[in-house]
Structure formats: C-alpha cells, structure tokens
PDB file of all heavy atoms in Angstrom:
ATOM      1  N   ARG A   1     -23.648   2.719  -4.670  1.00  0.00           N
ATOM      2  CA  ARG A   1     -22.701   3.845  -4.668  1.00  0.00           C
ATOM      3  C   ARG A   1     -23.388   5.070  -4.070  1.00  0.00           C
ATOM      4  O   ARG A   1     -24.466   5.441  -4.498  1.00  0.00           O
ATOM      5  CB  ARG A   1     -22.257   4.103  -6.103  1.00  0.00           C
ATOM      6  CG  ARG A   1     -21.262   5.218  -6.297  1.00  0.00           C
ATOM      7  CD  ARG A   1     -20.796   5.256  -7.754  1.00  0.00           C
ATOM      8  NE  ARG A   1     -21.888   5.535  -8.673  1.00  0.00           N
ATOM      9  CZ  ARG A   1     -22.243   6.745  -9.074  1.00  0.00           C
ATOM     10  NH1 ARG A   1     -21.596   7.793  -8.594  1.00  0.00           N
ATOM     11  NH2 ARG A   1     -23.249   6.911  -9.924  1.00  0.00           N
ATOM     12  N   THR A   2     -22.740   5.726  -3.096  1.00  0.00           N
ATOM     13  CA  THR A   2     -23.360   6.862  -2.417  1.00  0.00           C
ATOM     14  C   THR A   2     -22.675   8.184  -2.738  1.00  0.00           C
ATOM     15  O   THR A   2     -23.085   9.224  -2.227  1.00  0.00           O
ATOM     16  CB  THR A   2     -23.341   6.648  -0.898  1.00  0.00           C
ATOM     17  OG1 THR A   2     -21.982   6.466  -0.473  1.00  0.00           O
ATOM     18  CG2 THR A   2     -24.161   5.425  -0.514  1.00  0.00           C
ATOM     19  N   SER A   3     -21.646   8.156  -3.552  1.00  0.00           N
ATOM     20  CA  SER A   3     -20.965   9.390  -3.938  1.00  0.00           C
ATOM     21  C   SER A   3     -20.330   9.172  -5.306  1.00  0.00           C
ATOM     22  O   SER A   3     -20.413   8.081  -5.877  1.00  0.00           O
ATOM     23  CB  SER A   3     -19.884   9.751  -2.927  1.00  0.00           C
ATOM     24  OG  SER A   3     -18.766   8.887  -3.063  1.00  0.00           O
ATOM     25  N   ASN A   4     -19.679  10.221  -5.815  1.00  0.00           N
ATOM     26  CA  ASN A   4     -18.946  10.115  -7.080  1.00  0.00           C
ATOM     27  C   ASN A   4     -17.458   9.903  -6.862  1.00  0.00           C
ATOM     28  O   ASN A   4     -16.676   9.939  -7.805  1.00  0.00           O
ATOM     29  CB  ASN A   4     -19.157  11.377  -7.919  1.00  0.00           C
ATOM     30  CG  ASN A   4     -20.531  11.427  -8.539  1.00  0.00           C
ATOM     31  OD1 ASN A   4     -21.146  10.397  -8.785  1.00  0.00           O
ATOM     32  ND2 ASN A   4     -21.022  12.624  -8.796  1.00  0.00           N
ATOM     33  N   ASN A   5     -17.054   9.659  -5.628  1.00  0.00           N
ATOM     34  CA  ASN A   5     -15.636   9.492  -5.316  1.00  0.00           C
ATOM     35  C   ASN A   5     -15.167   8.060  -5.587  1.00  0.00           C
ATOM     36  O   ASN A   5     -14.680   7.359  -4.697  1.00  0.00           O
ATOM     37  CB  ASN A   5     -15.363   9.843  -3.859  1.00  0.00           C
ATOM     38  CG  ASN A   5     -15.693  11.277  -3.551  1.00  0.00           C
ATOM     39  OD1 ASN A   5     -15.871  12.090  -4.449  1.00  0.00           O
ATOM     40  ND2 ASN A   5     -15.795  11.596  -2.276  1.00  0.00           N
ATOM     41  N   TYR A   6     -15.374   7.650  -6.834  1.00  0.00           N
ATOM     42  CA  TYR A   6     -14.993   6.298  -7.219  1.00  0.00           C
ATOM     43  C   TYR A   6     -14.184   6.330  -8.511  1.00  0.00           C
ATOM     44  O   TYR A   6     -14.426   7.143  -9.397  1.00  0.00           O
ATOM     45  CB  TYR A   6     -16.227   5.420  -7.456  1.00  0.00           C
ATOM     46  CG  TYR A   6     -16.901   4.962  -6.191  1.00  0.00           C
ATOM     47  CD1 TYR A   6     -17.876   5.742  -5.587  1.00  0.00           C
ATOM     48  CD2 TYR A   6     -16.552   3.758  -5.598  1.00  0.00           C
ATOM     49  CE1 TYR A   6     -18.487   5.331  -4.425  1.00  0.00           C
ATOM     50  CE2 TYR A   6     -17.162   3.336  -4.440  1.00  0.00           C
ATOM     51  CZ  TYR A   6     -18.139   4.130  -3.851  1.00  0.00           C
ATOM     52  OH  TYR A   6     -18.746   3.713  -2.698  1.00  0.00           O
ATOM     53  N   ALA A   7     -13.241   5.436  -8.560  1.00  0.00           N
ATOM     54  CA  ALA A   7     -12.584   5.112  -9.818  1.00  0.00           C
ATOM     55  C   ALA A   7     -13.038   3.709 -10.194  1.00  0.00           C
ATOM     56  O   ALA A   7     -12.999   2.799  -9.358  1.00  0.00           O
ATOM     57  CB  ALA A   7     -11.070   5.161  -9.679  1.00  0.00           C
ATOM     58  N   MET A   8     -13.475   3.555 -11.414  1.00  0.00           N
ATOM     59  CA  MET A   8     -13.950   2.264 -11.915  1.00  0.00           C
ATOM     60  C   MET A   8     -12.937   1.712 -12.897  1.00  0.00           C
ATOM     61  O   MET A   8     -12.357   2.465 -13.694  1.00  0.00           O
ATOM     62  CB  MET A   8     -15.302   2.433 -12.613  1.00  0.00           C
ATOM     63  CG  MET A   8     -16.372   3.090 -11.765  1.00  0.00           C
ATOM     64  SD  MET A   8     -16.767   2.143 -10.294  1.00  0.00           S
ATOM     65  CE  MET A   8     -17.271   0.589 -11.007  1.00  0.00           C
ATOM     66  N   ALA A   9     -12.747   0.420 -12.862  1.00  0.00           N
ATOM     67  CA  ALA A   9     -11.744  -0.176 -13.742  1.00  0.00           C
ATOM     68  C   ALA A   9     -12.173  -1.546 -14.223  1.00  0.00           C
ATOM     69  O   ALA A   9     -13.015  -2.206 -13.604  1.00  0.00           O
ATOM     70  CB  ALA A   9     -10.406  -0.280 -13.020  1.00  0.00           C
ATOM     71  N   TRP A  10     -11.585  -1.942 -15.327  1.00  0.00           N
ATOM     72  CA  TRP A  10     -11.707  -3.300 -15.835  1.00  0.00           C
ATOM     73  C   TRP A  10     -10.342  -3.968 -15.734  1.00  0.00           C
ATOM     74  O   TRP A  10      -9.328  -3.395 -16.136  1.00  0.00           O
ATOM     75  CB  TRP A  10     -12.168  -3.305 -17.288  1.00  0.00           C
ATOM     76  CG  TRP A  10     -13.599  -2.939 -17.461  1.00  0.00           C
ATOM     77  CD1 TRP A  10     -14.111  -1.706 -17.724  1.00  0.00           C
ATOM     78  CD2 TRP A  10     -14.728  -3.817 -17.377  1.00  0.00           C
ATOM     79  NE1 TRP A  10     -15.483  -1.753 -17.820  1.00  0.00           N
ATOM     80  CE2 TRP A  10     -15.883  -3.051 -17.618  1.00  0.00           C
ATOM     81  CE3 TRP A  10     -14.875  -5.186 -17.148  1.00  0.00           C
ATOM     82  CZ2 TRP A  10     -17.179  -3.602 -17.618  1.00  0.00           C
ATOM     83  CZ3 TRP A  10     -16.150  -5.742 -17.147  1.00  0.00           C
ATOM     84  CH2 TRP A  10     -17.286  -4.945 -17.379  1.00  0.00           C
ATOM     85  N   PHE A  11     -10.358  -5.163 -15.188  1.00  0.00           N
ATOM     86  CA  PHE A  11      -9.181  -6.030 -15.143  1.00  0.00           C
ATOM     87  C   PHE A  11      -9.516  -7.297 -15.914  1.00  0.00           C
ATOM     88  O   PHE A  11     -10.673  -7.583 -16.174  1.00  0.00           O
ATOM     89  CB  PHE A  11      -8.838  -6.388 -13.692  1.00  0.00           C
ATOM     90  CG  PHE A  11      -8.235  -5.269 -12.897  1.00  0.00           C
ATOM     91  CD1 PHE A  11      -9.021  -4.235 -12.414  1.00  0.00           C
ATOM     92  CD2 PHE A  11      -6.878  -5.255 -12.622  1.00  0.00           C
ATOM     93  CE1 PHE A  11      -8.463  -3.195 -11.674  1.00  0.00           C
ATOM     94  CE2 PHE A  11      -6.303  -4.226 -11.883  1.00  0.00           C
ATOM     95  CZ  PHE A  11      -7.108  -3.197 -11.409  1.00  0.00           C
ATOM     96  N   ARG A  12      -8.491  -8.058 -16.231  1.00  0.00           N
ATOM     97  CA  ARG A  12      -8.727  -9.357 -16.846  1.00  0.00           C
ATOM     98  C   ARG A  12      -7.744 -10.377 -16.301  1.00  0.00           C
ATOM     99  O   ARG A  12      -6.664 -10.025 -15.829  1.00  0.00           O
ATOM    100  CB  ARG A  12      -8.638  -9.265 -18.367  1.00  0.00           C
ATOM    101  CG  ARG A  12      -7.251  -9.016 -18.917  1.00  0.00           C
ATOM    102  CD  ARG A  12      -7.324  -8.802 -20.432  1.00  0.00           C
ATOM    103  NE  ARG A  12      -6.004  -8.724 -21.040  1.00  0.00           N
ATOM    104  CZ  ARG A  12      -5.798  -8.424 -22.320  1.00  0.00           C
ATOM    105  NH1 ARG A  12      -6.818  -8.172 -23.143  1.00  0.00           N
ATOM    106  NH2 ARG A  12      -4.567  -8.383 -22.796  1.00  0.00           N
ATOM    107  N   GLN A  13      -8.151 -11.636 -16.404  1.00  0.00           N
ATOM    108  CA  GLN A  13      -7.317 -12.701 -15.860  1.00  0.00           C
ATOM    109  C   GLN A  13      -7.495 -13.965 -16.681  1.00  0.00           C
ATOM    110  O   GLN A  13      -8.615 -14.331 -17.062  1.00  0.00           O
ATOM    111  CB  GLN A  13      -7.681 -12.973 -14.402  1.00  0.00           C
ATOM    112  CG  GLN A  13      -6.746 -13.914 -13.679  1.00  0.00           C
ATOM    113  CD  GLN A  13      -7.026 -13.955 -12.198  1.00  0.00           C
ATOM    114  OE1 GLN A  13      -8.135 -13.678 -11.738  1.00  0.00           O
ATOM    115  NE2 GLN A  13      -6.006 -14.292 -11.417  1.00  0.00           N
ATOM    116  N   THR A  14      -6.371 -14.638 -16.919  1.00  0.00           N
ATOM    117  CA  THR A  14      -6.382 -15.944 -17.568  1.00  0.00           C
ATOM    118  C   THR A  14      -5.806 -16.961 -16.591  1.00  0.00           C
ATOM    119  O   THR A  14      -5.066 -16.587 -15.667  1.00  0.00           O
ATOM    120  CB  THR A  14      -5.560 -15.929 -18.867  1.00  0.00           C
ATOM    121  OG1 THR A  14      -4.240 -15.441 -18.573  1.00  0.00           O
ATOM    122  CG2 THR A  14      -6.196 -15.020 -19.910  1.00  0.00           C
ATOM    123  N   PRO A  15      -6.117 -18.236 -16.774  1.00  0.00           N
ATOM    124  CA  PRO A  15      -5.639 -19.259 -15.825  1.00  0.00           C
ATOM    125  C   PRO A  15      -4.132 -19.244 -15.664  1.00  0.00           C
ATOM    126  O   PRO A  15      -3.386 -19.200 -16.647  1.00  0.00           O
ATOM    127  CB  PRO A  15      -6.118 -20.565 -16.471  1.00  0.00           C
ATOM    128  CG  PRO A  15      -7.325 -20.173 -17.249  1.00  0.00           C
ATOM    129  CD  PRO A  15      -7.014 -18.806 -17.797  1.00  0.00           C
ATOM    130  N   GLY A  16      -3.699 -19.244 -14.408  1.00  0.00           N
ATOM    131  CA  GLY A  16      -2.277 -19.292 -14.114  1.00  0.00           C
ATOM    132  C   GLY A  16      -1.573 -17.953 -14.154  1.00  0.00           C
ATOM    133  O   GLY A  16      -0.366 -17.886 -13.904  1.00  0.00           O
ATOM    134  N   LYS A  17      -2.305 -16.911 -14.473  1.00  0.00           N
ATOM    135  CA  LYS A  17      -1.697 -15.577 -14.542  1.00  0.00           C
ATOM    136  C   LYS A  17      -2.354 -14.643 -13.530  1.00  0.00           C
ATOM    137  O   LYS A  17      -3.491 -14.853 -13.107  1.00  0.00           O
ATOM    138  CB  LYS A  17      -1.818 -14.997 -15.958  1.00  0.00           C
ATOM    139  CG  LYS A  17      -1.007 -15.735 -16.995  1.00  0.00           C
ATOM    140  CD  LYS A  17      -1.008 -14.982 -18.314  1.00  0.00           C
ATOM    141  CE  LYS A  17      -0.113 -15.650 -19.339  1.00  0.00           C
ATOM    142  NZ  LYS A  17      -0.074 -14.892 -20.623  1.00  0.00           N
ATOM    143  N   GLU A  18      -1.626 -13.588 -13.184  1.00  0.00           N
ATOM    144  CA  GLU A  18      -2.179 -12.604 -12.275  1.00  0.00           C
ATOM    145  C   GLU A  18      -3.207 -11.735 -12.997  1.00  0.00           C
ATOM    146  O   GLU A  18      -3.157 -11.554 -14.214  1.00  0.00           O
ATOM    147  CB  GLU A  18      -1.057 -11.723 -11.715  1.00  0.00           C
ATOM    148  CG  GLU A  18      -0.118 -12.444 -10.777  1.00  0.00           C
ATOM    149  CD  GLU A  18       0.863 -11.495 -10.106  1.00  0.00           C
ATOM    150  OE1 GLU A  18       0.835 -10.302 -10.433  1.00  0.00           O
ATOM    151  OE2 GLU A  18       1.640 -11.961  -9.264  1.00  0.00           O
ATOM    152  N   ARG A  19      -4.115 -11.210 -12.209  1.00  0.00           N
ATOM    153  CA  ARG A  19      -5.103 -10.285 -12.757  1.00  0.00           C
ATOM    154  C   ARG A  19      -4.389  -9.013 -13.218  1.00  0.00           C
ATOM    155  O   ARG A  19      -3.539  -8.485 -12.502  1.00  0.00           O
ATOM    156  CB  ARG A  19      -6.150  -9.975 -11.693  1.00  0.00           C
ATOM    157  CG  ARG A  19      -7.436  -9.396 -12.196  1.00  0.00           C
ATOM    158  CD  ARG A  19      -8.496  -9.446 -11.125  1.00  0.00           C
ATOM    159  NE  ARG A  19      -8.887 -10.817 -10.786  1.00  0.00           N
ATOM    160  CZ  ARG A  19      -9.923 -11.104  -9.993  1.00  0.00           C
ATOM    161  NH1 ARG A  19     -10.648 -10.120  -9.468  1.00  0.00           N
ATOM    162  NH2 ARG A  19     -10.207 -12.355  -9.715  1.00  0.00           N
ATOM    163  N   GLU A  20      -4.728  -8.525 -14.423  1.00  0.00           N
ATOM    164  CA  GLU A  20      -4.039  -7.361 -14.952  1.00  0.00           C
ATOM    165  C   GLU A  20      -5.017  -6.243 -15.292  1.00  0.00           C
ATOM    166  O   GLU A  20      -6.155  -6.486 -15.723  1.00  0.00           O
ATOM    167  CB  GLU A  20      -3.215  -7.715 -16.195  1.00  0.00           C
ATOM    168  CG  GLU A  20      -4.010  -8.216 -17.382  1.00  0.00           C
ATOM    169  CD  GLU A  20      -3.116  -8.532 -18.580  1.00  0.00           C
ATOM    170  OE1 GLU A  20      -1.886  -8.299 -18.515  1.00  0.00           O
ATOM    171  OE2 GLU A  20      -3.664  -8.996 -19.607  1.00  0.00           O
ATOM    172  N   PHE A  21      -4.550  -5.029 -15.116  1.00  0.00           N
ATOM    173  CA  PHE A  21      -5.337  -3.831 -15.395  1.00  0.00           C
ATOM    174  C   PHE A  21      -5.525  -3.685 -16.891  1.00  0.00           C
ATOM    175  O   PHE A  21      -4.593  -3.862 -17.672  1.00  0.00           O
ATOM    176  CB  PHE A  21      -4.608  -2.615 -14.833  1.00  0.00           C
ATOM    177  CG  PHE A  21      -5.255  -1.306 -15.147  1.00  0.00           C
ATOM    178  CD1 PHE A  21      -6.295  -0.820 -14.377  1.00  0.00           C
ATOM    179  CD2 PHE A  21      -4.811  -0.540 -16.215  1.00  0.00           C
ATOM    180  CE1 PHE A  21      -6.888   0.393 -14.662  1.00  0.00           C
ATOM    181  CE2 PHE A  21      -5.389   0.683 -16.509  1.00  0.00           C
ATOM    182  CZ  PHE A  21      -6.431   1.151 -15.729  1.00  0.00           C
ATOM    183  N   VAL A  22      -6.749  -3.316 -17.286  1.00  0.00           N
ATOM    184  CA  VAL A  22      -7.066  -3.095 -18.693  1.00  0.00           C
ATOM    185  C   VAL A  22      -7.360  -1.614 -18.955  1.00  0.00           C
ATOM    186  O   VAL A  22      -6.740  -0.983 -19.811  1.00  0.00           O
ATOM    187  CB  VAL A  22      -8.268  -3.946 -19.131  1.00  0.00           C
ATOM    188  CG1 VAL A  22      -8.648  -3.637 -20.579  1.00  0.00           C
ATOM    189  CG2 VAL A  22      -7.978  -5.434 -18.957  1.00  0.00           C
ATOM    190  N   ALA A  23      -8.308  -1.069 -18.215  1.00  0.00           N
ATOM    191  CA  ALA A  23      -8.716   0.323 -18.420  1.00  0.00           C
ATOM    192  C   ALA A  23      -9.483   0.795 -17.200  1.00  0.00           C
ATOM    193  O   ALA A  23     -10.060  -0.009 -16.468  1.00  0.00           O
ATOM    194  CB  ALA A  23      -9.576   0.469 -19.665  1.00  0.00           C
ATOM    195  N   GLY A  24      -9.497   2.116 -16.994  1.00  0.00           N
ATOM    196  CA  GLY A  24     -10.228   2.664 -15.864  1.00  0.00           C
ATOM    197  C   GLY A  24     -10.703   4.073 -16.136  1.00  0.00           C
ATOM    198  O   GLY A  24     -10.207   4.747 -17.056  1.00  0.00           O
ATOM    199  N   ILE A  25     -11.664   4.522 -15.330  1.00  0.00           N
ATOM    200  CA  ILE A  25     -12.227   5.860 -15.477  1.00  0.00           C
ATOM    201  C   ILE A  25     -12.680   6.366 -14.119  1.00  0.00           C
ATOM    202  O   ILE A  25     -13.196   5.604 -13.301  1.00  0.00           O
ATOM    203  CB  ILE A  25     -13.414   5.826 -16.481  1.00  0.00           C
ATOM    204  CG1 ILE A  25     -13.917   7.226 -16.798  1.00  0.00           C
ATOM    205  CG2 ILE A  25     -14.562   4.947 -15.960  1.00  0.00           C
ATOM    206  CD1 ILE A  25     -14.868   7.269 -17.988  1.00  0.00           C
ATOM    207  N   THR A  26     -12.461   7.652 -13.864  1.00  0.00           N
ATOM    208  CA  THR A  26     -12.966   8.238 -12.621  1.00  0.00           C
ATOM    209  C   THR A  26     -14.418   8.623 -12.822  1.00  0.00           C
ATOM    210  O   THR A  26     -14.784   9.191 -13.851  1.00  0.00           O
ATOM    211  CB  THR A  26     -12.151   9.482 -12.219  1.00  0.00           C
ATOM    212  OG1 THR A  26     -12.231  10.450 -13.273  1.00  0.00           O
ATOM    213  CG2 THR A  26     -10.697   9.141 -11.966  1.00  0.00           C
ATOM    214  N   TRP A  27     -15.224   8.303 -11.827  1.00  0.00           N
ATOM    215  CA  TRP A  27     -16.656   8.532 -12.006  1.00  0.00           C
ATOM    216  C   TRP A  27     -16.982  10.017 -12.102  1.00  0.00           C
ATOM    217  O   TRP A  27     -17.809  10.428 -12.907  1.00  0.00           O
ATOM    218  CB  TRP A  27     -17.436   7.904 -10.848  1.00  0.00           C
ATOM    219  CG  TRP A  27     -18.861   7.675 -11.241  1.00  0.00           C
ATOM    220  CD1 TRP A  27     -19.859   8.616 -11.286  1.00  0.00           C
ATOM    221  CD2 TRP A  27     -19.432   6.448 -11.690  1.00  0.00           C
ATOM    222  NE1 TRP A  27     -21.015   8.037 -11.742  1.00  0.00           N
ATOM    223  CE2 TRP A  27     -20.793   6.713 -11.995  1.00  0.00           C
ATOM    224  CE3 TRP A  27     -18.933   5.164 -11.867  1.00  0.00           C
ATOM    225  CZ2 TRP A  27     -21.638   5.736 -12.457  1.00  0.00           C
ATOM    226  CZ3 TRP A  27     -19.797   4.183 -12.326  1.00  0.00           C
ATOM    227  CH2 TRP A  27     -21.123   4.469 -12.609  1.00  0.00           C
ATOM    228  N   SER A  28     -16.338  10.833 -11.304  1.00  0.00           N
ATOM    229  CA  SER A  28     -16.719  12.247 -11.245  1.00  0.00           C
ATOM    230  C   SER A  28     -16.197  13.055 -12.427  1.00  0.00           C
ATOM    231  O   SER A  28     -16.924  13.859 -12.998  1.00  0.00           O
ATOM    232  CB  SER A  28     -16.214  12.855  -9.945  1.00  0.00           C
ATOM    233  OG  SER A  28     -14.804  12.736  -9.879  1.00  0.00           O
ATOM    234  N   SER A  29     -14.943  12.853 -12.799  1.00  0.00           N
ATOM    235  CA  SER A  29     -14.337  13.726 -13.794  1.00  0.00           C
ATOM    236  C   SER A  29     -14.101  13.062 -15.148  1.00  0.00           C
ATOM    237  O   SER A  29     -13.772  13.737 -16.118  1.00  0.00           O
ATOM    238  CB  SER A  29     -13.002  14.251 -13.275  1.00  0.00           C
ATOM    239  OG  SER A  29     -12.140  13.166 -12.971  1.00  0.00           O
ATOM    240  N   GLY A  30     -14.256  11.765 -15.219  1.00  0.00           N
ATOM    241  CA  GLY A  30     -14.079  11.077 -16.495  1.00  0.00           C
ATOM    242  C   GLY A  30     -12.640  10.907 -16.934  1.00  0.00           C
ATOM    243  O   GLY A  30     -12.384  10.615 -18.110  1.00  0.00           O
ATOM    244  N   VAL A  31     -11.701  11.064 -16.017  1.00  0.00           N
ATOM    245  CA  VAL A  31     -10.300  10.816 -16.357  1.00  0.00           C
ATOM    246  C   VAL A  31     -10.127   9.325 -16.654  1.00  0.00           C
ATOM    247  O   VAL A  31     -10.631   8.479 -15.917  1.00  0.00           O
ATOM    248  CB  VAL A  31      -9.382  11.233 -15.194  1.00  0.00           C
ATOM    249  CG1 VAL A  31      -7.949  10.788 -15.452  1.00  0.00           C
ATOM    250  CG2 VAL A  31      -9.452  12.740 -14.988  1.00  0.00           C
ATOM    251  N   THR A  32      -9.409   9.014 -17.729  1.00  0.00           N
ATOM    252  CA  THR A  32      -9.241   7.612 -18.113  1.00  0.00           C
ATOM    253  C   THR A  32      -7.777   7.184 -18.064  1.00  0.00           C
ATOM    254  O   THR A  32      -6.866   8.009 -18.080  1.00  0.00           O
ATOM    255  CB  THR A  32      -9.784   7.354 -19.530  1.00  0.00           C
ATOM    256  OG1 THR A  32      -9.101   8.207 -20.461  1.00  0.00           O
ATOM    257  CG2 THR A  32     -11.286   7.612 -19.599  1.00  0.00           C
ATOM    258  N   ASN A  33      -7.595   5.886 -18.019  1.00  0.00           N
ATOM    259  CA  ASN A  33      -6.266   5.297 -18.031  1.00  0.00           C
ATOM    260  C   ASN A  33      -6.372   3.960 -18.737  1.00  0.00           C
ATOM    261  O   ASN A  33      -7.331   3.209 -18.495  1.00  0.00           O
ATOM    262  CB  ASN A  33      -5.748   5.115 -16.594  1.00  0.00           C
ATOM    263  CG  ASN A  33      -4.284   4.742 -16.545  1.00  0.00           C
ATOM    264  OD1 ASN A  33      -3.589   4.788 -17.550  1.00  0.00           O
ATOM    265  ND2 ASN A  33      -3.804   4.402 -15.363  1.00  0.00           N
ATOM    266  N   TYR A  34      -5.432   3.661 -19.615  1.00  0.00           N
ATOM    267  CA  TYR A  34      -5.471   2.425 -20.391  1.00  0.00           C
ATOM    268  C   TYR A  34      -4.141   1.702 -20.316  1.00  0.00           C
ATOM    269  O   TYR A  34      -3.072   2.334 -20.288  1.00  0.00           O
ATOM    270  CB  TYR A  34      -5.768   2.705 -21.867  1.00  0.00           C
ATOM    271  CG  TYR A  34      -7.148   3.242 -22.144  1.00  0.00           C
ATOM    272  CD1 TYR A  34      -7.392   4.604 -22.203  1.00  0.00           C
ATOM    273  CD2 TYR A  34      -8.220   2.370 -22.360  1.00  0.00           C
ATOM    274  CE1 TYR A  34      -8.663   5.093 -22.459  1.00  0.00           C
ATOM    275  CE2 TYR A  34      -9.491   2.850 -22.620  1.00  0.00           C
ATOM    276  CZ  TYR A  34      -9.707   4.220 -22.660  1.00  0.00           C
ATOM    277  OH  TYR A  34     -10.960   4.691 -22.919  1.00  0.00           O
ATOM    278  N   ALA A  35      -4.208   0.393 -20.310  1.00  0.00           N
ATOM    279  CA  ALA A  35      -2.996  -0.400 -20.473  1.00  0.00           C
ATOM    280  C   ALA A  35      -2.501  -0.246 -21.906  1.00  0.00           C
ATOM    281  O   ALA A  35      -3.308  -0.081 -22.833  1.00  0.00           O
ATOM    282  CB  ALA A  35      -3.287  -1.876 -20.182  1.00  0.00           C
ATOM    283  N   ASP A  36      -1.190  -0.292 -22.080  1.00  0.00           N
ATOM    284  CA  ASP A  36      -0.620  -0.079 -23.409  1.00  0.00           C
ATOM    285  C   ASP A  36      -1.166  -1.070 -24.429  1.00  0.00           C
ATOM    286  O   ASP A  36      -1.347  -0.732 -25.600  1.00  0.00           O
ATOM    287  CB  ASP A  36       0.911  -0.190 -23.346  1.00  0.00           C
ATOM    288  CG  ASP A  36       1.537   1.019 -22.667  1.00  0.00           C
ATOM    289  OD1 ASP A  36       0.863   2.058 -22.559  1.00  0.00           O
ATOM    290  OD2 ASP A  36       2.708   0.919 -22.257  1.00  0.00           O
ATOM    291  N   PHE A  37      -1.436  -2.295 -24.005  1.00  0.00           N
ATOM    292  CA  PHE A  37      -1.833  -3.329 -24.966  1.00  0.00           C
ATOM    293  C   PHE A  37      -3.266  -3.153 -25.483  1.00  0.00           C
ATOM    294  O   PHE A  37      -3.692  -3.888 -26.365  1.00  0.00           O
ATOM    295  CB  PHE A  37      -1.634  -4.732 -24.381  1.00  0.00           C
ATOM    296  CG  PHE A  37      -2.327  -4.980 -23.070  1.00  0.00           C
ATOM    297  CD1 PHE A  37      -3.673  -5.260 -23.007  1.00  0.00           C
ATOM    298  CD2 PHE A  37      -1.594  -4.937 -21.894  1.00  0.00           C
ATOM    299  CE1 PHE A  37      -4.307  -5.494 -21.798  1.00  0.00           C
ATOM    300  CE2 PHE A  37      -2.215  -5.170 -20.665  1.00  0.00           C
ATOM    301  CZ  PHE A  37      -3.572  -5.448 -20.618  1.00  0.00           C
ATOM    302  N   VAL A  38      -4.033  -2.191 -24.935  1.00  0.00           N
ATOM    303  CA  VAL A  38      -5.383  -1.960 -25.440  1.00  0.00           C
ATOM    304  C   VAL A  38      -5.584  -0.558 -26.011  1.00  0.00           C
ATOM    305  O   VAL A  38      -6.644  -0.249 -26.553  1.00  0.00           O
ATOM    306  CB  VAL A  38      -6.467  -2.233 -24.374  1.00  0.00           C
ATOM    307  CG1 VAL A  38      -6.379  -3.652 -23.875  1.00  0.00           C
ATOM    308  CG2 VAL A  38      -6.404  -1.209 -23.243  1.00  0.00           C
ATOM    309  N   LYS A  39      -4.575   0.275 -25.892  1.00  0.00           N
ATOM    310  CA  LYS A  39      -4.710   1.646 -26.394  1.00  0.00           C
ATOM    311  C   LYS A  39      -5.022   1.642 -27.888  1.00  0.00           C
ATOM    312  O   LYS A  39      -4.374   0.962 -28.667  1.00  0.00           O
ATOM    313  CB  LYS A  39      -3.433   2.432 -26.121  1.00  0.00           C
ATOM    314  CG  LYS A  39      -3.287   2.870 -24.674  1.00  0.00           C
ATOM    315  CD  LYS A  39      -2.023   3.694 -24.457  1.00  0.00           C
ATOM    316  CE  LYS A  39      -1.901   4.124 -23.004  1.00  0.00           C
ATOM    317  NZ  LYS A  39      -0.656   4.871 -22.746  1.00  0.00           N
ATOM    318  N   GLY A  40      -6.035   2.408 -28.248  1.00  0.00           N
ATOM    319  CA  GLY A  40      -6.448   2.474 -29.644  1.00  0.00           C
ATOM    320  C   GLY A  40      -7.462   1.420 -30.029  1.00  0.00           C
ATOM    321  O   GLY A  40      -8.050   1.500 -31.118  1.00  0.00           O
ATOM    322  N   ARG A  41      -7.674   0.425 -29.177  1.00  0.00           N
ATOM    323  CA  ARG A  41      -8.642  -0.638 -29.475  1.00  0.00           C
ATOM    324  C   ARG A  41      -9.826  -0.642 -28.510  1.00  0.00           C
ATOM    325  O   ARG A  41     -10.952  -0.919 -28.915  1.00  0.00           O
ATOM    326  CB  ARG A  41      -7.960  -2.006 -29.428  1.00  0.00           C
ATOM    327  CG  ARG A  41      -6.838  -2.193 -30.430  1.00  0.00           C
ATOM    328  CD  ARG A  41      -6.392  -3.653 -30.489  1.00  0.00           C
ATOM    329  NE  ARG A  41      -5.897  -4.134 -29.205  1.00  0.00           N
ATOM    330  CZ  ARG A  41      -6.336  -5.239 -28.608  1.00  0.00           C
ATOM    331  NH1 ARG A  41      -7.272  -5.968 -29.163  1.00  0.00           N
ATOM    332  NH2 ARG A  41      -5.807  -5.628 -27.448  1.00  0.00           N
TER     333      ARG A  41
END
C-alpha cells in the first residue's frame, strides 16, 4: 500500500452462494460500514 486512499473490507462466501459484504473501514478516516446481519456482533 502506497497511500491511505483505501477502503478495506471483509466479505464472506459459502458454497453455491455469492460473496457477500460483511464489514468495511476506510483506512484514512476510519469510517465503517456493516452488514445488518453482523451489527452489534
């Protein structure tokens, strides 16, 4: 990584299903985003 202009995320996937977003964070400012099914956990 050569700058802070990145958003990092976790996805997950099970067999036969599409990859789905779990959570993410911006490297520079720490803004976060969560899928509803993981909020609070």
Side-chain angles (χ1 to χ4, degrees):
R1 181 174 62 91
T2 58
S3 74
N4 286 333
N5 298 345
Y6 284 88
M8 305 298 302
W10 287 94
F11 287 76
R12 70 186 187 186
Q13 189 170 25
T14 54
K17 293 189 176 182
E18 291 188 357
R19 198 166 294 189
E20 63 179 356
F21 175 83
V22 176
I25 187 168
T26 59
W27 201 281
S28 60
S29 58
V31 172
T32 58
N33 190 10
Y34 293 93
D36 287 342
F37 55 79
V38 302
K39 284 182 180 177
R41 299 190 300 128

